[in-house]
């Protein structure tokens, strides 16, 4: 009995040491991630036991992103690459971010709400999070619009608007229709907040029109060249 107890204690100590080493390795790699060394960081992380340490990685990236939102695109790209080999990590990241957003929304923590939706927006851009999630977030925030909720939607739309416009334009149109209805309520704060978004919507619409015109022009040139070729054969 004493030998079995001692072996059990030794095994527990060994597992604890292995866990501490894994934690240090993931933290050391994740804390150094930036746009210049992301390739090397990904290789280092794949060398660790990410299946066991997936919770550590998600917690590290969420904490780092909330403290420095300017690196959101880097962390989202990191998660996207890892997600191609280990989809359970991408799923866990999205789940934890949604839970974090819901808790922050209930507590009226605007700062944490904005950082959470920014991360989710970039994960949507990277095709880790589904675009339906983006629509659900917008619907929740605009159900009973307030100054803070509209500001969160503005931050979210700035990051994911171009993606939604190319994949599900109806969702983006819904967002801007909601902004227009808010503008008609004569709330000056909302007018200031949404004015930049309406400019962005006009820009996205103009870019889409230009792309359509370019496509139409290319088709027209191909059609004319085909007619010339057919007339030459005759």
């Amino acid at each position: 009995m004493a030998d079995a107890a001692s072996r059990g204690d030794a095994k527990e100590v060994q597992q604890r040491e292995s866990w501490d080493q894994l934690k240090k390795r993931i933290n050391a790699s994740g804390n150094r991630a930036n746009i210049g060394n992301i390739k090397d960081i990904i290789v280092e992380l794949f060398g660790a036991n990410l299946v066991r340490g997936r919770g550590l990685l998600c917690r590290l990236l969420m904490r780092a992103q909330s403290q420095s939102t300017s690196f959101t695109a880097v962390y989202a790209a990191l998660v996207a690459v890892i997600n191609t080999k280990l989809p359970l990590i991408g799923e866990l990241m999205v789940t934890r971010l949604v839970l974090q957003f819901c808790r922050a929304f209930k507590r009226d923590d605007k700062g944490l709400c904005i950082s959470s939706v920014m991360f989710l927006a970039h994960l949507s851009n990277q095709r880790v999070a589904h675009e339906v999630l983006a629509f659900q977030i917008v619907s929740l925030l605009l159900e009973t619009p307030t100054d803070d909720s509209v500001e969160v939607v503005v931050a979210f739309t700035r990051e994911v608007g171009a993606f939604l416009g190319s994949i599900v334009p109806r969702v983006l149109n819904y967002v801007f229709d909601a902004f227009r209805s808010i503008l008609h309520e004569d709330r000056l704060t909302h007018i200031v907040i949404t004015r930049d978004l309406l400019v962005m919507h006009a820009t996205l619409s103009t870019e889409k029109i230009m792309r359509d015109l370019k496509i139409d022009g290319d088709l027209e040139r191909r059609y004319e060249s085909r007619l010339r070729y057919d007339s030459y054969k005759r």
Side-chain angles (χ1 to χ4, degrees), residues 8-205:
D9 293 340
K11 187 175 182 180
E12 183 178 350
V13 171
Q14 184 180 2
Q15 289 180 349
R16 171 57 61 183
E17 290 177 352
S18 175
W19 176 259
D20 291 339
Q21 291 175 0
L22 177 62
K23 184 177 181 179
K24 290 179 181 178
R25 186 172 183 178
I26 291 176
N27 288 341
S29 299
N31 288 328
R32 293 188 293 106
N34 58 60
I35 195 171
N37 64 1
I38 187 171
K39 293 182 179 179
D40 298 330
I41 295 300
I42 290 171
V43 173
E44 292 179 8
L45 288 174
F46 273 127
N49 187 355
L50 289 181
V51 174
R52 186 185 183 195
R54 58 189 182 275
L56 295 173
L57 179 63
C58 292
R59 187 186 310 133
L60 169 68
L61 295 180
M62 289 172 62
R63 183 175 64 249
Q65 185 270 342
S66 64
Q67 295 173 353
S68 181
T69 55
S70 59
F71 284 87
T72 303
V74 176
Y75 298 137
L78 185 66
V79 174
V81 175
I82 295 175
N83 184 67
T84 59
K85 300 297 183 182
L86 299 171
L88 74 167
I89 292 181
E91 181 180 356
L92 178 62
M93 176 66 76
V94 172
T95 301
R96 289 194 175 187
L97 282 170
V98 170
L99 292 174
Q100 177 178 269
F101 165 72
C102 291
R103 288 194 297 267
F105 180 76
K106 290 180 180 178
R107 297 197 305 262
D108 291 329
D109 188 343
K110 184 177 67 174
L112 189 57
C113 276
I114 290 177
S115 65
S116 300
V117 298
M118 285 181 64
F119 209 158
L120 288 169
H122 281 275
L123 290 176
S124 296
N125 294 338
Q126 296 285 354
R127 303 298 183 90
V128 177
H130 200 276
E131 56 269 15
V132 172
L133 177 61
F135 176 72
Q136 291 173 335
I137 291 174
V138 171
S139 299
L140 174 65
L141 293 170
L142 293 180
E143 185 176 3
T144 53
T146 63
D147 290 353
D148 290 341
S149 67
V150 171
E151 188 173 351
V152 174
V153 176
V154 168
F156 182 66
T157 309
R158 281 201 181 102
E159 304 298 333
V160 78
F163 171 75
L164 292 178
S166 61
I167 301 298
V168 279
R170 286 181 297 178
V171 175
L172 191 63
N173 291 335
Y174 164 79
V175 174
F176 286 103
D177 287 343
F179 282 139
R180 291 189 186 94
S181 65
I182 292 172
L183 284 174
H184 293 158
E185 296 176 5
D186 293 331
R187 294 187 178 183
L188 294 178
T189 53
H190 286 164
I191 291 175
V192 172
I193 290 173
T194 57
R195 184 174 296 154
D196 293 339
L197 265 296
L198 294 177
V199 172
M200 186 187 77
H201 187 219
T203 303
L204 291 174
S205 301

Side-chain angles (χ1 to χ4, degrees), residues 210-222:
M210 294 302 293
R211 286 197 302 270
D212 293 342
L213 289 175
K214 183 178 185 301
I215 292 173
D216 292 341
D218 291 340
L219 291 175
E220 184 177 355
R221 285 192 294 272
R222 291 179 187 178

